[in-house]
Each structure stands twice: as C-alpha cells, then as structure tokens.
Amino acid sequence: MNLRPAHRKLWLVLHIVSAGAWIGIDVLVAVLAGTGLLADDPGTRSLAYRALGTFVVCPMLSSGLVCLGTGVLLGLGTRWGLIRYWWVAVKLGINVLLCTLIIVLLRPGMPAVRAYGETMPPTAFDTSSLVMPPIVSLTLLSLATVLSVYKPWGRTRRGAAQVARQATARSAVRTP
Ligand code: HEM
C-alpha cells in the first residue's frame, strides 16, 4: 500500500493531533491526581477525584486508539513500514502497551475513584496509586515523540533483510 502525498499529509495531521491530545489528557490526569493528593480544601479534592473518575478514560483511550490506527496506516502506507525501522517498531510497542494498560488497569479502577470523590473520608482508597499512571504514560509518550522526530537506530533485522532481498532481485533483473 502506498499513500498518495495528499492522503499521507491528512493522516499525518490526524496522527499528530491525536498524539498531542493524548499527551494533553495525560497532563490533565497528572494535575487532577496531584490536586486530589495535595489540595488543602476537601471540596477541591473531592472535585478532582470525581472529575478524574468520570471524564478521563474515554477521551484518553479514544486518542490512544486514533494515534495507533493512524500510525499503523502511515507505517503501512509509507516506506517506514511497521517493523522495518526501530523507531516505528518501538512506538508501536509503546502505543499498544499504553492502550492495554488503560483498558486493563485504569478503566476498571475509575468507578472507585469517583466513589471516593463523592464520599471522601468514609471510603478507603489508596490515592497514591493514581500518581504513577500519568508519570509512566507521559514518559513513554515523550519518548515516542522524540523517536518520531529523531528517527534513530536505523533498520530492524527484518528491514535490513528486506533491503538485501530487493537488491538481489534488482541485480537479477539487470543481469541477462
Ligand atoms: C505512541 C504514540 C505516538 C506518538 C506520540 C507519535 C508521534 C508522532 C509524531 C509527532 C510524528 C511526526 C514526526 C515528523 O513528521 O517528523 C509521527 C510520525 C509518524 N508516526 Fe507516530 N506517534 C505515535 C505512535 C505511532 C505508531 C503506533 C506508529 C505505527 C506503528 C507510528 C508511525 C508513524 C510514522 C510511520 C510516522 C511518519 C509518517 C510520515 O512522515 O510519513 N506512530 N508520529
């Protein structure tokens, strides 16, 4: 599959916008988790947990899946491939890992966060467990952004083997 330049640009815009939205939502999660943990006013803490438990997961998962879908499309539709270059393969791993963590770990815990925000002291809840998710996610998404811009590490073994195969095929066509 080879994307036409105009289509590639359109998918790339969607890819970058979804990645940016995902990072923005992660920053919001960090702000809400930090407010819930550190604010003096119980009303503010309650509001932070209720917002965290109610609004965050759906837009976060949506932007993660759009980023994954457009990334896969760009990989398949351009010379980059999916596992031809290390920078794309690592980003694929990061994106799949983070979306899986959202579905398996973050989403099931959100009703308890909201309930804690609504009742506050009577319900027991380990609020410090909400600090790690945005830290891990922001670190990995920043790494993915750096990889996208610098495109380091060259080809994977599979990518190099593909180039060698193409070179052999080309020289076979040239020699009568
Ligand atoms: C993990 C989250 C991701 C982030 C934050 C991210 C970010 C970005 C950014 C900022 C660019 C633009 C780079 C530039 O034009 O110089 C880009 C391009 C690209 N991304 Fe991602 N990406 C992510 C996931 C993925 C995934 C999962 C794939 C595919 C498996 C992928 C494949 C690509 C490809 C092939 C391009 C280059 C497209 C082109 O220039 O034709 N990305 N990405």
Side-chain angles (χ1 to χ4, degrees):
M1 182 171 83
N2 233 333
L3 285 174
R4 281 198 227 140
H7 290 170
R8 182 196 144 246
K9 279 187 184 158
L10 194 72
W11 289 115
L12 186 57
V13 167
L14 203 57
H15 185 62
I16 295 172
V17 168
S18 59
W22 193 1
I23 292 172
I25 293 163
D26 262 341
V27 171
L28 181 69
V29 171
V31 170
L32 290 175
T35 305
L37 211 60
L38 302 172
D40 294 329
D41 174 33
T44 308
R45 294 210 327 265
S46 161
L47 181 64
Y49 287 125
R50 278 182 293 142
L52 194 55
T54 310
F55 299 116
V56 162
V57 168
C58 183
M60 186 193 267
L61 185 59
S62 309
S63 52
L65 290 177
V66 172
C67 188
L68 179 63
T70 51
V72 167
L73 205 94
L74 284 166
L76 292 175
T78 63
R79 72 190 180 93
W80 297 114
L82 280 190
I83 41 174
R84 216 177 277 165
Y85 289 85
W86 280 112
W87 69 273
V88 183
V90 172
K91 282 198 330 170
L92 180 60
I94 289 174
N95 205 324
V96 170
L97 173 74
L98 288 179
C99 285
T100 307
L101 288 177
I102 295 171
I103 293 167
V104 173
L105 287 183
L106 202 64
R107 202 162 81 142
M110 284 301 114
V113 175
R114 192 173 58 228
Y116 179 72
E118 279 159 4
T119 56
M120 292 294 285
T123 343
F125 187 79
D126 177 17
T127 48
S128 62
S129 67
L130 293 171
V131 175
M132 272 323 269
I135 293 178
V136 171
S137 189
L138 277 173
T139 306
L140 290 178
L141 289 179
S142 303
L143 172 67
T145 307
V146 171
L147 293 181
S148 308
V149 173
Y150 287 92
K151 302 179 175 53
W153 307 327
R155 289 176 187 273
T156 59
R157 206 186 292 176
R158 196 188 161 100
Q162 197 178 21
V163 171
R165 268 201 311 276
Q166 281 164 354
T168 316
R170 244 180 272 127
S171 67
V173 170
R174 266 192 233 114
T175 29

